[in-house]
Amino acid sequence: MEFQFSSDQLAIRDAVAKFLSEEWDLSERRRALDDGPVKVSDALWQQVVDMGWIGIAVSEDKGGSGLELLTSAMLVEEAAQVLFPSRLCSALASAYALDQCGGDSMPKLLGSHMTGQHFVSLAMDEANGDYGPENNSTRATMSGDEGVISGQKILVPDADVADHFLVASRLGDKGVLIKVAADAPGLTITPMERIDAQCVSELELKDVAFSTEDILGDADEAEAVLQRTYEFWTTLISADLLGVTTTALQMTNAYAKERHQFNRPIGSFQAVSHRLADVKMDEEVGRSLLYGACLALQERPDESSPQVSAAKAWLSDAATRATEAALQLHGGIGYTWELDVHLLLRQARSNAVYLGDADYHRKRIGAYLAEQLKSSAAGVSN
Amino acid sequence: MDLSFSEQDEAYRQKLRDWIAGNKDLATRTMKGIDDKGDRNPIQAMRDWQRHLYEAGYVGMSWPKAYGGYECSLTEQVIVNEELARAHLPPTINTIGLTIVAPTLIQHGNEDQKKEHLKRILRGDDIWCQGFSEPGAGSDLASLRTAAVVEDDQFVVTGQKVWTSVGPIADRCVLLVRTDKDAPKREGITYLLVDMKSEGITVQPLRNAGGGSHFSEVFFDEVKVPRGNMVGELHGGWAIARSTLDNERSGLSGVVALENNFKKLLELVEAGTRSGKPALEDPQTLNQIAQYWIEIEGLRYLGYRTLSEQLKGQKPGPQASVGKLFSSKLRQAMAKSALEIAGPYAALTKKSPHVLNRGRWVAGFFDSLGYSIGGGTSEIMHNVIAERVLELPRSVED
């Protein structure tokens, strides 16, 4: 029984936090809001790659470090605390997807993704507002070993550096991930501007060609590979929301101690301190749910969706509340461009509705509970 | 991370489950108020039940063997708390004795006091109540005014206590009294052990908003308490009381209680209808119960984090103090939802021929309202998190 970080994991976390605080400044995001999407320089990205971050939870036989999935979430949480760009998060998610695949080509691509020669991104959300792989309308059709994909994906991260995308598509009655090259004929990439200044794009696919070997996972595994990747990436987004929550709380807590009104620090007023206590509660519950989701993914990936949804639903709401409280409790100065608070709020708002909003994830849990009730009723009647 | 229990722990759990299965009749008999002699005597039945539990090894598990305890591991204690809560067994009647009085005596009592009381607390021989709160001293407990005057080798106590659970049936009471009116308020309080049969004590049941009488008022009129019944030093009672109020727990047995509530709520949803359709097909109802499921999961993992820290001998982190605040909110929200899902009949009293489940939902609703008041109001819990976890400046100067 151990439900906290091991001393090795704590050492990694501290090293990651130290590196990020030296190499990255949260207010980069403000510049990016005026000058175009936020980017990691090639030199800095190479450092990230050289430290082995991308393969941290990739299995050892595929060249990774084989650590718990929790460590990937821990990296994303630390990165989000300083608003490091999404590139780390999408790199970890696609590494996980590729790690699920056997054969030749996918492990090879994973190898070069981990060393920084290639960058693989993922395309899941669609404009129709129906979240989740089961609601995708992007369609793949096949005849023999060849096929084509058509559809539209939105808010695809890091298209500026990606040479491949893993595109969630319907193939027959199954959902699958299909690898598509960034320069494939029929693929149009258009940048989208999001309030958090991350690099996100729209992908328009018109009869983009693929072959059997571009589908991630064997015929009987492909659907599970997509679902697991969705669960994992969603969990990383939850970790991002937690990191933002933590920074918002720390920033506001520090301000409440130093800002004086009526000759007292404002943090001595219960209207202020009780709201901060609520944010602390939100954060601790969120942290607990995130660890629970990571453990479920690690131990039973194909049955992890209730725990994954619990973390995402809670943290989507909690990060929103935390960043809104941060803005409110900073008062007038919190509403200015110069203060960092709105940068956190932007990231929280963006991720709260990414890969499923709180309502979508509660819907998944509701369906799970209804299913449980039905099966226990069936059990009784038998 | 790893949430599995060791093989040894699982064997312990199995042994406990076997005991529970083998004592079903005893549990049912206790619930009906029948004691060991076969008489209808609910209080005696509950004392007997606690003694059987103790003799089987499931009460006093963390206590030193020298005082009748079992010195079990923390994991074994968690297993017992979880399994007992899951099996819907009768509770232990002497909760205050077990969770407040005994830890205090083990830590601060003298040898005579330990020998006299601890074993009797374990066996349910003495039921204890707590005389801390007063009409004028609730959240601000240290302003209490029940006074004790030292006369020769005894204290003479006069004053009033309130919110005293199990008062009418208690044999003994842990009492905070003011022994120095002129000292700063935390430095003039003394901790006493009082026999409830002493002359001058009057107990009056106090009905709560839901109609039940779990509490009472206790009046002290020149009650004589031997000096040997003082715990710790004269005027040194505040620190002693604080040390057990601060007893942090992982809260995992509370999670099992919430899970039991949630199961009942699910049964309601399963049976209920919304706009002519099964409530299970109503998106709003599903959304709401999904939220409760999420929050119970959150509390469970919160509890595991605290337990992990305790197992490593670390001081519990901030998550321990958010548990009470969070769970009382959740309990109330679930109780309110239950009333809504059950529909208009849920608001009927037990006397109505149409009452649902013998009024369980209304009783649960009123019950839930007490959780954000007793044992530290939610407002005080906010202060605790703000001041001790976030280290914000104190809101109240005193």
Side-chain angles (χ1 to χ4, degrees), chain A residues 86-87 89-98 113 119-125 153-159 162 164-168 177-178 201 203 216 225-226 229-230 232-233 236 354-355:
Chain A
S86 64
R87 192 167 173 182
C89 180
S90 29
L92 288 164
S94 39
Y96 175 83
L98 294 167
H113 177 67
F119 189 91
V120 183
S121 185
L122 314 93
M124 290 205 183
D125 276 359
K153 293 286 173 185
I154 62 164
L155 303 170
V156 178
D158 308 301
H164 289 91
F165 297 101
L166 308 178
V167 181
L177 276 176
I178 301 175
S201 306
L203 264 55
L216 275 78
V225 170
L226 166 63
T229 304
Y230 172 76
F232 182 68
W233 194 15
L236 294 185
Y354 199 54
L355 299 183

Side-chain angles (χ1 to χ4, degrees), chain B residues 8-281:
Chain B
Q8 205 185 338
D9 287 333
E10 288 301 344
Y12 182 82
R13 187 190 295 274
Q14 194 50 50
K15 204 183 104 200
L16 168 58
R17 284 188 177 166
D18 293 345
W19 187 87
I20 292 171
N23 286 276
K24 275 227 167 83
D25 290 347
L26 177 61
T28 315
R29 200 185 73 194
T30 307
M31 301 275 213
K32 287 183 184 153
I34 311 291
D35 68 12
D36 277 5
K37 288 186 196 135
D39 297 332
R40 211 195 115 73
N41 182 345
I43 305 299
Q44 189 54 44
M46 291 296 289
R47 289 179 195 259
D48 291 342
W49 167 251
Q50 185 180 314
R51 198 183 61 251
H52 291 305
L53 258 185
Y54 167 61
E55 283 164 358
Y58 302 125
V59 176
M61 290 173 301
S62 65
W63 303 14
K65 284 190 177 150
Y67 305 121
Y70 291 100
E71 294 180 17
C72 290
S73 72
L74 193 55
T75 352
E76 286 170 344
Q77 295 168 46
V78 168
I79 289 172
V80 170
N81 287 338
E82 276 191 0
E83 293 293 327
L84 293 185
R86 197 159 285 151
H88 299 281
L89 298 175
T92 47
I93 190 170
N94 202 8
T95 306
I96 292 169
L98 292 168
T99 61
I100 293 170
V101 184
T104 304
L105 290 180
I106 290 171
Q107 215 180 329
H108 305 281
N110 60 37
E111 269 320 293
D112 288 346
Q113 290 166 344
K114 291 179 194 178
K115 286 215 177 85
E116 186 181 351
H117 299 298
L118 288 174
K119 192 93 188 243
R120 295 183 62 82
I121 289 175
L122 283 171
R123 292 168 46 91
D125 294 340
D126 290 334
I127 296 170
W128 286 73
C129 64
Q130 185 192 44
F132 284 13
S133 298
E134 296 181 6
S139 294
D140 181 12
L141 181 60
S143 69
L144 60 92
R145 285 161 56 190
T146 294
V149 182
V150 187
E151 279 178 10
D152 307 323
D153 55 351
Q154 63 186 14
F155 294 92
V156 180
V157 179
T158 301
Q160 184 196 347
K161 295 290 175 179
V162 74
W163 317 129
T164 311
S165 303
V166 296
I169 58 165
D171 303 292
R172 287 171 193 279
C173 176
V174 278
L175 191 68
L176 290 182
V177 291
R178 182 149 312 277
T179 39
D180 185 347
K181 284 196 181 85
D182 302 320
K185 64 181 182 180
R186 293 182 183 77
E187 291 160 31
I189 293 172
T190 300
Y191 200 113
L192 300 180
L193 308 173
V194 179
D195 186 337
M196 288 296 281
K197 288 177 200 77
S198 312
E199 205 174 311
I201 296 183
T202 317
V203 181
Q204 269 178 17
L206 188 64
R207 275 186 99 182
N208 66 24
S213 304
H214 309 294
F215 318 117
S216 49
E217 295 173 291
V218 184
F219 298 89
F220 296 84
D221 182 13
E222 299 193 354
V223 175
K224 296 179 176 61
V225 181
R227 188 155 179 131
N229 287 15
M230 177 173 72
V231 181
E233 303 285 317
L234 187 67
H235 312 317
W238 180 251
I240 295 171
R242 273 296 294 273
S243 71
T244 37
L245 288 178
D246 281 351
N247 237 347
E248 299 279 16
R249 260 167 258 268
S250 65
L252 282 168
S253 51
V255 172
V256 178
L258 279 166
E259 280 175 342
N260 290 338
N261 285 356
F262 185 74
K263 270 182 211 148
K264 286 179 204 152
L265 187 62
L266 272 187
E267 286 166 20
L268 260 187
V269 173
E270 209 181 5
T273 55
R274 275 282 173 280
S275 316
K277 284 184 183 166
L280 254 184
E281 290 169 21

Side-chain angles (χ1 to χ4, degrees), chain A residues 286-335:
Chain A
R287 187 176 304 284
S288 307
L289 286 167
L290 177 71
Y291 295 172
C294 291
L295 190 71
L297 270 162
Q298 186 76 45
E299 291 185 344
R300 34 175 214 287
D302 296 328
E303 292 157 33
S304 61
S305 65
Q307 278 77 23
V308 169
S309 278
K312 180 62 166 73
W314 181 264
L315 280 160
S316 294
D317 288 342
T320 303
R321 286 194 290 262
T323 48
E324 284 171 357
L327 195 145
Q328 174 67 26
L329 296 178
H330 275 81
I333 192 80
Y335 194 57

Side-chain angles (χ1 to χ4, degrees), chain B residues 281-335:
Chain B
E281 290 169 21
D282 177 52
Q284 208 181 326
T285 305
L286 273 184
N287 194 299
Q288 194 155 53
I289 60 166
Q291 184 66 22
Y292 299 145
W293 187 84
I294 292 168
E295 295 182 9
I296 294 171
E297 281 289 290
L299 269 172
R300 183 212 320 282
Y301 291 123
L302 208 61
Y304 285 134
R305 286 172 62 203
T306 306
L307 176 62
S308 291
E309 288 168 348
Q310 288 172 332
L311 286 172
K312 282 195 177 169
Q314 298 162 346
K315 207 176 163 288
Q319 73 282 354
S321 50
V322 310
K324 179 180 188 286
L325 181 58
F326 190 65
S327 62
S328 52
K329 232 171 108 176
L330 173 56
R331 206 179 268 268
Q332 289 170 2
M334 278 170 55

Side-chain angles (χ1 to χ4, degrees), chain A residues 349-371:
Chain A
R349 282 306 322 155
S350 302
N351 279 331
V353 294
Y354 199 54
L355 299 183
D357 59 8
D359 263 340
Y360 168 76
H361 285 285
R362 279 191 289 265
K363 227 177 272 171
R364 287 213 310 175
I365 291 171
Y368 159 77
L369 292 172
E371 196 53 45

Side-chain angles (χ1 to χ4, degrees), chain A residues 252-309:
Chain A
T252 316
N253 194 21
Y255 185 72
K257 288 171 187 162
E258 126 211 334
R259 168 77 172 168
H260 280 65
Q261 287 288 276
F262 306 102
N263 299 316
R264 293 164 66 182
I266 60 167
S268 68
F269 296 112
Q270 292 179 336
V272 173
S273 68
H274 286 195
R275 189 155 179 196
L276 281 172
D278 280 334
V279 174
K280 183 67 193 167
M281 184 169 77
D282 273 351
E283 184 206 20
E284 291 300 335
V285 173
R287 187 176 304 284
S288 307
L289 286 167
L290 177 71
Y291 295 172
C294 291
L295 190 71
L297 270 162
Q298 186 76 45
E299 291 185 344
R300 34 175 214 287
D302 296 328
E303 292 157 33
S304 61
S305 65
Q307 278 77 23
V308 169
S309 278

